[in-house]
Amino acid sequence: MQVQKKRKPYDDINITPMVDLTFVLLVIFILMTTASIEGIRINLPKASSAQSMAAPTTKAITVDSRGQIYLDTFPVTAQQLEQELRILKAVTPDLPVVIKGDRVSQYGKIMEALDACGRAGITQIGLVSERPRGS
């Protein structure tokens, strides 16, 4: 027969759940801060896959369903857009621009925005779309 020894109390703290929670929160914060570019809320068309050009210096050009053009969140005309893009390009020579057009927006207005980018000398242009569901 063996005599059982008195058990010592468990005095170590298990930090594994705290580390797991920290990593989950870190991932959530990273996704939430990098997921959006300032702009006007519009209904985007769907595409199979697209690389994100989101960067801190990325400018967003938005064409809403009424055909109004916005640079970030400020409404502009095509001429004002070109002037602003020239100024921004002078400050940042490799300025990336993303163009977001509402699904029912006028194609001509989106082309005006693309033409303004071309005349301003911007070569890094991305078109924003939503991924289809199920991808």
Side-chain angles (χ1 to χ4, degrees):
M1 235 180 175
Q2 293 182 354
V3 177
Q4 289 189 357
K5 297 181 180 177
K6 197 173 194 181
R7 291 188 179 197
K8 294 182 181 178
Y10 188 70
D11 59 354
D12 291 336
I13 297 174
N14 187 1
I15 64 167
T16 304
M18 288 186 280
V19 172
D20 289 345
L21 178 64
T22 304
F23 285 131
V24 167
L25 289 175
L26 179 65
V27 168
I28 289 171
F29 287 133
I30 289 172
L31 291 175
M32 293 304 291
T33 57
T34 60
S36 67
I37 297 174
E38 282 291 319
I40 305 300
R41 186 165 181 78
I42 58 172
N43 187 12
L44 293 172
K46 306 251 185 269
S48 60
S49 66
Q51 284 186 319
S52 174
M53 288 182 54
T57 59
T58 300
K59 289 296 175 184
I61 299 171
T62 306
V63 180
D64 67 7
S65 60
R66 298 182 321 257
Q68 176 63 51
I69 300 173
Y70 296 86
L71 179 58
D72 288 334
T73 57
F74 304 103
V76 293
T77 64
Q79 294 80 21
Q80 291 171 335
L81 176 64
E82 183 179 344
Q83 291 170 355
E84 290 293 324
L85 290 175
R86 285 183 190 275
I87 293 168
L88 293 168
K89 176 126 172 94
V91 174
T92 309
D94 57 345
L95 177 73
V97 172
V98 293
I99 298 177
K100 302 188 288 186
D102 193 271
R103 187 180 321 219
V104 296
S105 64
Q106 302 164 355
Y107 187 69
K109 290 292 185 175
I110 296 172
M111 289 307 299
E112 283 181 28
L114 282 168
D115 288 341
C117 290
R119 288 190 302 268
I122 294 176
T123 57
Q124 294 187 26
I125 301 172
L127 297 174
V128 178
S129 65
E130 287 182 348
R131 291 180 186 224
R133 297 190 195 257
S135 293

